[in-house]
Amino acid sequence: MPPKKAATEEKILLGRPGNNLKIGVVGLPNVGKSTFFNAITNSAVPAENFPFCTIDPEESRVAVPDERLNWLTENYTPEKQIPAWLTVIDIAGLVKGASAGEGLGNAFLSHVRAVDAIFHVCRAFDEVDVIHVDGEVNPVKDLETIHHELRLKDEEFIRSAMADLKKTMGRLGSNNTAPERARQAEMAILEKLLKHVVEDHKDVRCGDWNNKEVEVINPLMLLTAKPVIYLVNLSEADYIRKKNKWLAKIHAWVQTNNAGDMLIPFSGALESRISDMSEAEREEELKKIATQSALPKIIVSGYQALNLIYYFTCGPQEVRCWSIRKGTKAPQAAGVIHSDFERGFIMAETMRYDDLKELGTEAAVKGAGKYMQKGRDYTVGDGDIIHFKFNVTAQPKKK
């Protein structure tokens, strides 16, 4: 008999599990956070020129643009089209000393803790009428300020967790019991985490953590463990000409401190100006000034930063996107539609979007042998088109 293949351990992702995840808009006061939020959601949060205009976090859902959804809608001609949604939170501006309660520090940091990823808006435009909280525009210094405050707060969270754990250690009088060894292992992970944040001055998401370490990190809800997308707010003129004196310096800072994080330039002034236009007017204006809105790229990137993907269900009633986390198995993906689908899961009949688009019809996909029947171990892919089969005869077990 050939030897059994060693089972590969699935990597646990940093962050809160689930598909109901949120991304927060973070930055210093007066960098354009609320202007960006207003434009991305077409909402009416006041964007006044003074610190702490946003106190209670505003929340809105934004449709995730996807040409695949549009093509499927044209192909199936359903009664409804339902996209995936990105939940965006506008959070109050942070100031230096927020970790010690300066400004709206404690409220700000609790709001950051409640989201799952961050749009970090930094200002790279000069505007006399828009006061910078530090008196001068220096986005690199602004980046340093926020990351320093977030790491200080993470240090506080980690030290608090260590203190709580220390109180429970050694109570049983033996260092050789399984519970005590587990506590010692957890303390070693917390010490490694503290060194990473305090001595190495690195964000948690930049660490190389194994699954046991991630299991300790995730319940702490650390601020620097969250994915970050840097949004550089330019003047409309700089955005159109794709030049700004700060862009190279910001890019260098991101690559040095958080290599791999995404950086997207945008113009809050432009996005705000075109946000109230009709779609036709917007397209005509963007064509006239020879540029594109950055919002579609920002929305898609924010959704992906949350480690979210979606599959499609298609029929005459609706074509719909169902959000799941990367790595979700077929039964749990079915459970997003209804718990009965997961409980009574039989199989998932799947086809790839690319195959359907290339071949034209479901019948052609089946004829080409590309319409698959998948079981419980199938990991759902982004853009899969799925029909679930299930059977529920018994009532769910009482917990």
Side-chain angles (χ1 to χ4, degrees):
M1 261 179 89
K4 289 184 179 179
K5 289 183 180 178
T8 56
E9 187 179 29
E10 291 186 14
K11 181 78 173 171
I12 300 175
L13 298 172
L14 279 174
R16 191 163 54 97
N19 65 335
N20 185 24
L21 305 179
K22 302 174 181 180
I23 189 163
V25 184
V26 168
L28 294 178
N30 292 349
V31 297
K33 296 185 312 301
S34 292
T35 301
F36 164 72
F37 181 83
N38 292 348
I40 204 171
T41 63
N42 275 326
S43 64
V45 180
E48 305 298 336
N49 175 26
F50 54 89
F52 318 129
C53 172
T54 308
I55 298 174
D56 296 322
E58 298 284 342
E59 177 173 331
S60 188
R61 290 199 316 160
V62 185
V64 178
D66 191 338
E67 287 301 320
R68 298 176 300 179
L69 179 64
N70 297 335
W71 186 88
L72 289 169
T73 301
E74 290 175 11
N75 196 56
Y76 282 89
T77 60
E79 296 173 12
K80 289 191 294 183
Q81 180 199 78
I82 302 175
W85 299 96
L86 176 67
T87 302
V88 185
I89 313 287
D90 185 21
I91 297 173
L94 172 147
V95 293
K96 190 173 183 179
S99 58
E102 290 292 323
L104 297 166
N106 291 327
F108 167 90
L109 294 166
S110 70
H111 295 151
V112 176
R113 205 176 190 195
V115 300
D116 303 282
I118 294 170
F119 281 140
H120 184 159
V121 180
C122 58
R123 174 178 170 177
F125 66 89
D126 292 307
E127 178 65 57
V128 176
D129 294 335
V130 182
I131 305 161
H132 190 283
V133 70
D134 289 334
E136 63 170 348
V137 174
N138 186 335
V140 174
K141 182 182 173 185
D142 295 350
L143 291 169
E144 290 282 6
T145 296
I146 286 198
H147 279 269
H148 179 68
E149 295 299 330
L150 297 184
R151 279 200 294 266
L152 282 177
K153 202 65 183 178
D154 276 354
E155 178 185 352
E156 182 184 317
F157 291 144
I158 297 165
R159 290 191 187 279
S160 176
M162 292 173 73
D164 290 344
L165 181 60
K166 196 169 185 179
K167 291 173 187 174
T168 69
M169 295 179 72
R171 284 184 176 178
L172 301 178
S174 171
N175 290 331
N176 204 30
T177 62
E180 187 63 22
R181 288 196 300 272
R183 284 191 282 268
Q184 290 170 355
E186 183 177 347
M187 182 62 80
I189 292 170
L190 291 174
E191 288 170 351
K192 177 181 176 181
L193 187 61
L194 187 66
K195 178 182 181 297
H196 180 85
V197 171
V198 177
E199 294 181 27
D200 300 340
H201 303 291
K202 291 181 180 177
D203 289 354
V204 175
R205 69 182 178 284
C206 298
D208 183 17
W209 312 107
N210 62 38
N211 282 356
K212 286 186 178 178
E213 290 167 338
V214 173
E215 286 174 350
V216 173
I217 293 169
N218 277 347
L220 300 176
M221 298 171 65
L222 298 175
L223 307 181
T224 66
K226 302 176 191 298
V228 176
I229 296 173
Y230 297 94
L231 304 180
V232 184
N233 191 3
L234 309 176
S235 68
E236 183 172 329
D238 282 359
Y239 178 75
I240 292 170
R241 70 191 185 102
K242 298 180 180 178
K243 287 185 179 180
N244 178 275
K245 64 181 180 181
W246 290 106
L247 274 176
K249 295 175 183 177
I250 296 167
H251 181 266
W253 185 92
V254 171
Q255 290 307 307
T256 300
N257 293 275
N258 295 295
D261 283 358
M262 183 174 282
L263 185 152
I264 304 175
F266 80 106
S267 171
L270 171 64
E271 302 296 353
S272 178
R273 184 167 69 81
I274 65 174
S275 64
D276 292 329
M277 296 180 181
S278 68
E279 190 171 344
E281 290 172 332
R282 198 157 47 236
E283 286 180 8
E284 186 179 338
E285 177 64 15
L286 291 172
K287 187 176 180 181
K288 187 172 80 175
I289 60 178
T291 194
Q292 292 181 324
S293 169
L295 295 188
K297 180 179 181 180
I298 290 171
I299 294 166
V300 171
S301 300
Y303 187 84
Q304 292 172 345
L306 292 166
N307 286 308
L308 292 175
I309 61 172
Y310 45 84
Y311 64 88
F312 299 104
T313 54
C314 303
Q317 275 75 46
E318 66 179 28
V319 168
R320 182 168 185 158
C321 301
W322 298 92
S323 292
I324 56 173
R325 213 156 187 235
K326 276 182 187 173
T328 300
K329 300 294 186 185
Q332 288 70 47
V336 173
I337 299 176
H338 195 283
S339 57
D340 283 352
F341 279 42
E342 179 176 0
R343 190 160 59 90
F345 178 86
I346 297 172
M347 70 172 68
E349 295 182 341
T350 75
M351 58 181 164
R352 294 175 63 245
Y353 166 82
D354 290 341
D355 292 336
L356 177 61
K357 188 173 182 183
E358 179 187 345
L359 298 169
T361 65
E362 285 188 22
V365 174
K366 289 176 181 176
K370 294 184 175 182
Y371 193 86
M372 305 293 183
Q373 292 182 335
K374 299 291 186 179
R376 293 181 169 276
D377 292 334
Y378 176 64
T379 301
V380 174
D382 181 47
D384 279 359
I385 300 163
I386 305 183
H387 174 70
F388 292 106
K389 289 191 172 180
F390 72 104
N391 182 33
V392 176
T393 55
Q395 292 296 314
K397 294 178 182 178
K398 290 183 179 178
K399 292 183 179 178

PDB file of all heavy atoms in Angstrom, residues 219-235:
ATOM      1  N   PRO A 219      -8.279  36.519  19.769  1.00  0.00           N
ATOM      2  CA  PRO A 219      -9.205  37.029  20.799  1.00  0.00           C
ATOM      3  C   PRO A 219      -8.813  38.391  21.381  1.00  0.00           C
ATOM      4  O   PRO A 219      -9.649  39.080  21.966  1.00  0.00           O
ATOM      5  CB  PRO A 219      -9.159  35.945  21.886  1.00  0.00           C
ATOM      6  CG  PRO A 219      -8.672  34.714  21.195  1.00  0.00           C
ATOM      7  CD  PRO A 219      -7.737  35.204  20.142  1.00  0.00           C
ATOM      8  N   LEU A 220      -7.540  38.797  21.212  1.00  0.00           N
ATOM      9  CA  LEU A 220      -7.085  40.084  21.748  1.00  0.00           C
ATOM     10  C   LEU A 220      -7.592  41.267  20.921  1.00  0.00           C
ATOM     11  O   LEU A 220      -7.572  42.404  21.398  1.00  0.00           O
ATOM     12  CB  LEU A 220      -5.547  40.115  21.793  1.00  0.00           C
ATOM     13  CG  LEU A 220      -4.865  39.046  22.658  1.00  0.00           C
ATOM     14  CD1 LEU A 220      -3.349  39.141  22.515  1.00  0.00           C
ATOM     15  CD2 LEU A 220      -5.286  39.176  24.113  1.00  0.00           C
ATOM     16  N   MET A 221      -8.033  40.999  19.684  1.00  0.00           N
ATOM     17  CA  MET A 221      -8.554  42.058  18.797  1.00  0.00           C
ATOM     18  C   MET A 221      -7.572  43.230  18.687  1.00  0.00           C
ATOM     19  O   MET A 221      -7.938  44.403  18.838  1.00  0.00           O
ATOM     20  CB  MET A 221      -9.926  42.538  19.278  1.00  0.00           C
ATOM     21  CG  MET A 221     -10.977  41.463  19.265  1.00  0.00           C
ATOM     22  SD  MET A 221     -12.506  41.962  20.068  1.00  0.00           S
ATOM     23  CE  MET A 221     -13.064  43.279  19.001  1.00  0.00           C
ATOM     24  N   LEU A 222      -6.318  42.917  18.418  1.00  0.00           N
ATOM     25  CA  LEU A 222      -5.275  43.939  18.381  1.00  0.00           C
ATOM     26  C   LEU A 222      -5.442  44.855  17.174  1.00  0.00           C
ATOM     27  O   LEU A 222      -5.818  44.418  16.084  1.00  0.00           O
ATOM     28  CB  LEU A 222      -3.899  43.277  18.373  1.00  0.00           C
ATOM     29  CG  LEU A 222      -3.587  42.427  19.610  1.00  0.00           C
ATOM     30  CD1 LEU A 222      -2.258  41.717  19.435  1.00  0.00           C
ATOM     31  CD2 LEU A 222      -3.578  43.278  20.869  1.00  0.00           C
ATOM     32  N   LEU A 223      -5.140  46.126  17.379  1.00  0.00           N
ATOM     33  CA  LEU A 223      -5.372  47.132  16.347  1.00  0.00           C
ATOM     34  C   LEU A 223      -4.444  46.950  15.158  1.00  0.00           C
ATOM     35  O   LEU A 223      -4.852  47.128  14.008  1.00  0.00           O
ATOM     36  CB  LEU A 223      -5.207  48.532  16.939  1.00  0.00           C
ATOM     37  CG  LEU A 223      -6.029  48.833  18.199  1.00  0.00           C
ATOM     38  CD1 LEU A 223      -5.790  50.264  18.658  1.00  0.00           C
ATOM     39  CD2 LEU A 223      -7.513  48.609  17.958  1.00  0.00           C
ATOM     40  N   THR A 224      -3.178  46.594  15.422  1.00  0.00           N
ATOM     41  CA  THR A 224      -2.216  46.482  14.323  1.00  0.00           C
ATOM     42  C   THR A 224      -2.252  45.105  13.661  1.00  0.00           C
ATOM     43  O   THR A 224      -1.468  44.846  12.751  1.00  0.00           O
ATOM     44  CB  THR A 224      -0.778  46.787  14.802  1.00  0.00           C
ATOM     45  OG1 THR A 224      -0.354  45.770  15.716  1.00  0.00           O
ATOM     46  CG2 THR A 224      -0.692  48.153  15.463  1.00  0.00           C
ATOM     47  N   ALA A 225      -3.159  44.237  14.105  1.00  0.00           N
ATOM     48  CA  ALA A 225      -3.342  42.946  13.421  1.00  0.00           C
ATOM     49  C   ALA A 225      -4.276  43.106  12.221  1.00  0.00           C
ATOM     50  O   ALA A 225      -4.370  42.217  11.374  1.00  0.00           O
ATOM     51  CB  ALA A 225      -3.911  41.912  14.393  1.00  0.00           C
ATOM     52  N   LYS A 226      -4.968  44.232  12.142  1.00  0.00           N
ATOM     53  CA  LYS A 226      -5.981  44.425  11.095  1.00  0.00           C
ATOM     54  C   LYS A 226      -5.324  44.813   9.769  1.00  0.00           C
ATOM     55  O   LYS A 226      -4.378  45.605   9.751  1.00  0.00           O
ATOM     56  CB  LYS A 226      -6.970  45.528  11.519  1.00  0.00           C
ATOM     57  CG  LYS A 226      -7.663  45.220  12.851  1.00  0.00           C
ATOM     58  CD  LYS A 226      -8.554  46.355  13.303  1.00  0.00           C
ATOM     59  CE  LYS A 226      -9.024  46.135  14.745  1.00  0.00           C
ATOM     60  NZ  LYS A 226      -9.828  44.923  14.913  1.00  0.00           N
ATOM     61  N   PRO A 227      -5.822  44.281   8.655  1.00  0.00           N
ATOM     62  CA  PRO A 227      -5.294  44.700   7.345  1.00  0.00           C
ATOM     63  C   PRO A 227      -5.494  46.195   7.140  1.00  0.00           C
ATOM     64  O   PRO A 227      -6.490  46.765   7.602  1.00  0.00           O
ATOM     65  CB  PRO A 227      -6.141  43.904   6.348  1.00  0.00           C
ATOM     66  CG  PRO A 227      -6.774  42.805   7.135  1.00  0.00           C
ATOM     67  CD  PRO A 227      -6.908  43.307   8.535  1.00  0.00           C
ATOM     68  N   VAL A 228      -4.540  46.824   6.461  1.00  0.00           N
ATOM     69  CA  VAL A 228      -4.600  48.277   6.221  1.00  0.00           C
ATOM     70  C   VAL A 228      -4.429  48.567   4.734  1.00  0.00           C
ATOM     71  O   VAL A 228      -3.562  47.986   4.074  1.00  0.00           O
ATOM     72  CB  VAL A 228      -3.502  49.019   7.014  1.00  0.00           C
ATOM     73  CG1 VAL A 228      -3.509  50.513   6.684  1.00  0.00           C
ATOM     74  CG2 VAL A 228      -3.691  48.817   8.512  1.00  0.00           C
ATOM     75  N   ILE A 229      -5.275  49.458   4.223  1.00  0.00           N
ATOM     76  CA  ILE A 229      -5.095  50.020   2.877  1.00  0.00           C
ATOM     77  C   ILE A 229      -4.876  51.516   3.052  1.00  0.00           C
ATOM     78  O   ILE A 229      -5.692  52.204   3.684  1.00  0.00           O
ATOM     79  CB  ILE A 229      -6.315  49.759   1.985  1.00  0.00           C
ATOM     80  CG1 ILE A 229      -6.489  48.258   1.748  1.00  0.00           C
ATOM     81  CG2 ILE A 229      -6.177  50.488   0.649  1.00  0.00           C
ATOM     82  CD1 ILE A 229      -7.763  47.896   1.014  1.00  0.00           C
ATOM     83  N   TYR A 230      -3.752  52.024   2.531  1.00  0.00           N
ATOM     84  CA  TYR A 230      -3.430  53.444   2.665  1.00  0.00           C
ATOM     85  C   TYR A 230      -4.056  54.210   1.502  1.00  0.00           C
ATOM     86  O   TYR A 230      -3.791  53.909   0.331  1.00  0.00           O
ATOM     87  CB  TYR A 230      -1.911  53.644   2.680  1.00  0.00           C
ATOM     88  CG  TYR A 230      -1.263  52.986   3.864  1.00  0.00           C
ATOM     89  CD1 TYR A 230      -0.747  51.695   3.772  1.00  0.00           C
ATOM     90  CD2 TYR A 230      -1.182  53.638   5.092  1.00  0.00           C
ATOM     91  CE1 TYR A 230      -0.171  51.069   4.863  1.00  0.00           C
ATOM     92  CE2 TYR A 230      -0.600  53.026   6.188  1.00  0.00           C
ATOM     93  CZ  TYR A 230      -0.104  51.737   6.074  1.00  0.00           C
ATOM     94  OH  TYR A 230       0.472  51.118   7.156  1.00  0.00           O
ATOM     95  N   LEU A 231      -4.876  55.191   1.823  1.00  0.00           N
ATOM     96  CA  LEU A 231      -5.521  56.038   0.829  1.00  0.00           C
ATOM     97  C   LEU A 231      -4.897  57.425   0.905  1.00  0.00           C
ATOM     98  O   LEU A 231      -5.027  58.113   1.932  1.00  0.00           O
ATOM     99  CB  LEU A 231      -7.026  56.126   1.085  1.00  0.00           C
ATOM    100  CG  LEU A 231      -7.780  54.786   1.145  1.00  0.00           C
ATOM    101  CD1 LEU A 231      -9.266  55.023   1.400  1.00  0.00           C
ATOM    102  CD2 LEU A 231      -7.579  53.992  -0.140  1.00  0.00           C
ATOM    103  N   VAL A 232      -4.193  57.820  -0.143  1.00  0.00           N
ATOM    104  CA  VAL A 232      -3.478  59.099  -0.148  1.00  0.00           C
ATOM    105  C   VAL A 232      -4.363  60.133  -0.839  1.00  0.00           C
ATOM    106  O   VAL A 232      -4.638  60.043  -2.040  1.00  0.00           O
ATOM    107  CB  VAL A 232      -2.126  58.986  -0.876  1.00  0.00           C
ATOM    108  CG1 VAL A 232      -1.376  60.308  -0.784  1.00  0.00           C
ATOM    109  CG2 VAL A 232      -1.294  57.857  -0.266  1.00  0.00           C
ATOM    110  N   ASN A 233      -4.806  61.114  -0.054  1.00  0.00           N
ATOM    111  CA  ASN A 233      -5.743  62.122  -0.543  1.00  0.00           C
ATOM    112  C   ASN A 233      -4.988  63.270  -1.218  1.00  0.00           C
ATOM    113  O   ASN A 233      -4.289  64.040  -0.559  1.00  0.00           O
ATOM    114  CB  ASN A 233      -6.587  62.645   0.620  1.00  0.00           C
ATOM    115  CG  ASN A 233      -7.760  63.485   0.169  1.00  0.00           C
ATOM    116  OD1 ASN A 233      -7.997  63.645  -1.021  1.00  0.00           O
ATOM    117  ND2 ASN A 233      -8.496  64.025   1.127  1.00  0.00           N
ATOM    118  N   LEU A 234      -5.133  63.355  -2.539  1.00  0.00           N
ATOM    119  CA  LEU A 234      -4.442  64.359  -3.332  1.00  0.00           C
ATOM    120  C   LEU A 234      -5.404  65.477  -3.739  1.00  0.00           C
ATOM    121  O   LEU A 234      -6.628  65.299  -3.704  1.00  0.00           O
ATOM    122  CB  LEU A 234      -3.871  63.732  -4.609  1.00  0.00           C
ATOM    123  CG  LEU A 234      -3.018  62.464  -4.470  1.00  0.00           C
ATOM    124  CD1 LEU A 234      -2.640  61.950  -5.857  1.00  0.00           C
ATOM    125  CD2 LEU A 234      -1.769  62.734  -3.646  1.00  0.00           C
ATOM    126  N   SER A 235      -4.856  66.590  -4.163  1.00  0.00           N
ATOM    127  CA  SER A 235      -5.690  67.611  -4.801  1.00  0.00           C
ATOM    128  C   SER A 235      -6.190  67.059  -6.127  1.00  0.00           C
ATOM    129  O   SER A 235      -5.609  66.113  -6.686  1.00  0.00           O
ATOM    130  CB  SER A 235      -4.878  68.886  -5.049  1.00  0.00           C
ATOM    131  OG  SER A 235      -3.884  68.645  -6.048  1.00  0.00           O
TER     132      SER A 235
END
